Coordinates of all heavy atoms in Angstrom, one line a residue:
S1 N 111.4 9.3 -13.3 CA 112.2 10.4 -12.8 C 113.5 10.6 -13.6 O 113.9 11.7 -13.9 CB 112.6 10.2 -11.3 OG 111.4 10.3 -10.5
A2 N 114.1 9.4 -13.9 CA 115.3 9.5 -14.7 C 115.1 10.1 -16.1 O 115.9 10.9 -16.6 CB 116.0 8.1 -14.9
C3 N 114.0 9.6 -16.7 CA 113.7 10.2 -18.1 C 113.4 11.7 -18.0 O 113.8 12.5 -18.8 CB 112.5 9.4 -18.6 SG 112.8 7.7 -19.1
G4 N 112.6 12.1 -17.0 CA 112.3 13.5 -16.8 C 113.5 14.3 -16.5 O 113.7 15.4 -17.0
Y5 N 114.4 13.8 -15.7 CA 115.7 14.5 -15.4 C 116.5 14.7 -16.6 O 117.0 15.8 -16.9 CB 116.5 13.7 -14.3 CG 117.9 14.3 -14.1 CD1 118.1 15.4 -13.4 CD2 119.0 13.7 -14.7 CE1 119.4 16.0 -13.2 CE2 120.2 14.2 -14.6 CZ 120.4 15.3 -13.8 OH 121.7 15.9 -13.7
E6 N 116.7 13.7 -17.4 CA 117.6 13.8 -18.5 C 117.1 14.8 -19.6 O 117.9 15.5 -20.1 CB 117.8 12.4 -19.2 CG 118.6 11.4 -18.4 CD 120.1 11.7 -18.3 OE1 120.6 12.7 -19.0 OE2 120.8 11.1 -17.5
V7 N 115.8 14.8 -19.8 CA 115.3 15.7 -20.8 C 115.4 17.2 -20.3 O 115.4 18.1 -21.2 CB 113.8 15.3 -21.2 CG1 112.8 15.8 -20.2 CG2 113.5 15.9 -22.6
C8 N 115.4 17.4 -19.0 CA 115.6 18.7 -18.5 C 117.0 19.3 -18.6 O 117.2 20.5 -18.3 CB 115.1 18.8 -17.0 SG 113.3 18.7 -16.8
Q9 N 117.9 18.5 -19.0 CA 119.3 18.9 -19.1 C 119.7 19.4 -20.4 O 120.9 19.7 -20.7 CB 120.3 17.7 -18.7 CG 119.9 17.1 -17.3 CD 119.8 18.2 -16.2 OE1 120.7 19.0 -16.0 NE2 118.6 18.2 -15.6
L10 N 118.8 19.5 -21.3 CA 119.0 20.1 -22.6 C 117.7 20.8 -23.1 O 116.7 20.6 -22.6 CB 119.5 19.0 -23.6 CG 118.5 18.0 -24.1 CD1 119.1 17.2 -25.2 CD2 118.0 17.1 -23.0
V11 N 117.9 21.6 -24.2 CA 116.7 22.3 -24.7 C 115.9 21.3 -25.6 O 116.5 20.6 -26.5 CB 117.2 23.5 -25.6 CG1 116.0 24.2 -26.3 CG2 117.9 24.5 -24.6
G12 N 114.6 21.3 -25.4 CA 113.8 20.5 -26.2 C 113.4 19.2 -25.5 O 113.8 19.0 -24.4
A13 N 112.5 18.4 -26.2 CA 112.0 17.2 -25.6 C 112.6 15.9 -26.0 O 112.1 14.8 -25.9 CB 110.5 17.1 -25.9
K14 N 113.8 16.0 -26.5 CA 114.6 14.8 -27.0 C 115.8 14.6 -26.0 O 116.5 15.5 -25.8 CB 115.1 15.0 -28.4 CG 114.0 15.2 -29.4 CD 113.2 13.9 -29.7 CE 112.3 14.0 -30.8 NZ 111.1 14.8 -30.6
V15 N 115.9 13.3 -25.6 CA 117.0 12.9 -24.8 C 118.1 12.4 -25.7 O 117.8 11.6 -26.6 CB 116.6 11.8 -23.8 CG1 117.8 11.3 -23.0 CG2 115.5 12.3 -22.8
E16 N 119.3 12.9 -25.5 CA 120.4 12.4 -26.3 C 120.8 11.0 -26.0 O 120.5 10.4 -24.9 CB 121.6 13.3 -26.1 CG 121.4 14.8 -26.5 CD 122.6 15.7 -26.3 OE1 123.4 15.3 -25.4 OE2 122.6 16.7 -26.9
E17 N 121.5 10.3 -26.9 CA 121.9 8.9 -26.7 C 122.6 8.6 -25.4 O 122.3 7.6 -24.8 CB 122.7 8.4 -27.9 CG 123.0 6.9 -27.9 CD 121.8 6.0 -27.8 OE1 120.7 6.4 -28.3 OE2 121.9 4.9 -27.1
A18 N 123.5 9.5 -25.0 CA 124.2 9.3 -23.8 C 123.3 9.3 -22.6 O 123.5 8.5 -21.6 CB 125.3 10.4 -23.6
G19 N 122.3 10.1 -22.7 CA 121.2 10.1 -21.6 C 120.5 8.9 -21.6 O 120.2 8.3 -20.5
W20 N 120.1 8.3 -22.7 CA 119.4 7.0 -22.8 C 120.2 5.9 -22.2 O 119.7 5.0 -21.5 CB 118.9 6.7 -24.2 CG 117.7 7.5 -24.6 CD1 117.6 8.4 -25.7 CD2 116.4 7.5 -24.0 NE1 116.4 8.9 -25.7 CE2 115.6 8.4 -24.7 CE3 115.9 6.9 -22.9 CZ2 114.3 8.7 -24.4 CZ3 114.6 7.2 -22.5 CH2 113.8 8.1 -23.3
Q21 N 121.5 6.0 -22.5 CA 122.4 4.9 -21.9 C 122.4 5.0 -20.4 O 122.4 4.0 -19.7 CB 123.8 5.1 -22.5 CG 123.9 4.8 -24.0 CD 123.4 3.4 -24.3 OE1 123.6 2.4 -23.6 NE2 122.6 3.3 -25.4
R22 N 122.4 6.2 -19.8 CA 122.4 6.3 -18.4 C 121.0 5.8 -17.8 O 121.0 5.1 -16.8 CB 122.6 7.8 -18.0 CG 124.0 8.3 -18.2 CD 124.2 9.7 -17.6 NE 123.5 10.7 -18.3 CZ 124.0 11.4 -19.3 NH1 125.3 11.1 -19.7 NH2 123.4 12.4 -19.9
I23 N 120.0 6.2 -18.5 CA 118.6 5.7 -18.1 C 118.5 4.2 -18.1 O 118.0 3.6 -17.1 CB 117.5 6.3 -19.0 CG1 117.5 7.9 -18.7 CG2 116.2 5.7 -18.7 CD1 116.6 8.6 -19.8
K24 N 119.0 3.6 -19.1 CA 118.9 2.1 -19.3 C 119.7 1.3 -18.2 O 119.4 0.2 -18.0 CB 119.3 1.7 -20.7 CG 118.3 2.2 -21.8 CD 118.8 1.8 -23.2 CE 117.7 2.2 -24.2 NZ 118.1 1.9 -25.6
K25 N 120.6 2.0 -17.6 CA 121.3 1.3 -16.5 C 120.4 1.0 -15.3 O 120.7 0.2 -14.5 CB 122.5 2.2 -16.0 CG 123.6 2.2 -17.0 CD 124.8 3.1 -16.5 CE 125.9 3.1 -17.6 NZ 127.0 4.0 -17.1
L26 N 119.2 1.7 -15.3 CA 118.3 1.5 -14.2 C 117.3 0.3 -14.5 O 116.6 -0.2 -13.6 CB 117.4 2.7 -14.0 CG 118.1 4.0 -13.6 CD1 117.1 5.2 -13.6 CD2 118.8 3.8 -12.3
L27 N 117.3 -0.2 -15.8 CA 116.5 -1.3 -16.1 C 117.0 -2.6 -15.4 O 118.2 -2.8 -15.2 CB 116.5 -1.6 -17.6 CG 116.0 -0.4 -18.5 CD1 116.0 -0.7 -19.9 CD2 114.7 0.1 -18.0
P28 N 116.1 -3.4 -14.9 CA 116.4 -4.6 -14.1 C 117.5 -5.5 -14.7 O 118.4 -5.9 -14.0 CB 115.1 -5.4 -14.0 CG 114.1 -4.3 -14.1 CD 114.6 -3.3 -15.1
E29 N 117.5 -5.7 -16.0 CA 118.5 -6.5 -16.6 C 119.9 -5.9 -16.5 O 121.0 -6.6 -16.7 CB 118.2 -6.9 -18.0 CG 118.1 -5.7 -19.0 CD 116.6 -5.2 -19.1 OE1 115.9 -5.4 -18.1 OE2 116.3 -4.7 -20.1
N30 N 120.0 -4.6 -16.3 CA 121.3 -3.9 -16.2 C 121.6 -3.6 -14.7 O 122.7 -3.0 -14.5 CB 121.3 -2.6 -17.0 CG 121.1 -2.9 -18.5 OD1 121.7 -3.8 -19.0 ND2 120.3 -2.2 -19.2
A31 N 120.7 -3.9 -13.8 CA 121.0 -3.5 -12.4 C 122.0 -4.4 -11.8 O 122.2 -5.5 -12.2 CB 119.6 -3.5 -11.7

């Protein structure tokens, strides 16, 4: 859901680096 949300916030199918940083906060080692 996080990956799908971030890619919908800009044009195209690429998530920007700031978006990946937000997504990675959900990974267990960052939780």
Side-chain angles (χ1 to χ4, degrees):
S1 291
C3 293
Y5 169 78
E6 290 289 351
V7 80
C8 286
Q9 304 313 303
L10 70 171
V11 175
K14 296 290 189 292
V15 176
E16 296 176 339
E17 182 56 31
W20 285 119
Q21 292 306 316
R22 288 189 290 271
I23 291 167
K24 288 178 180 179
K25 289 180 181 178
L26 298 177
L27 302 183
E29 58 267 28
N30 296 317

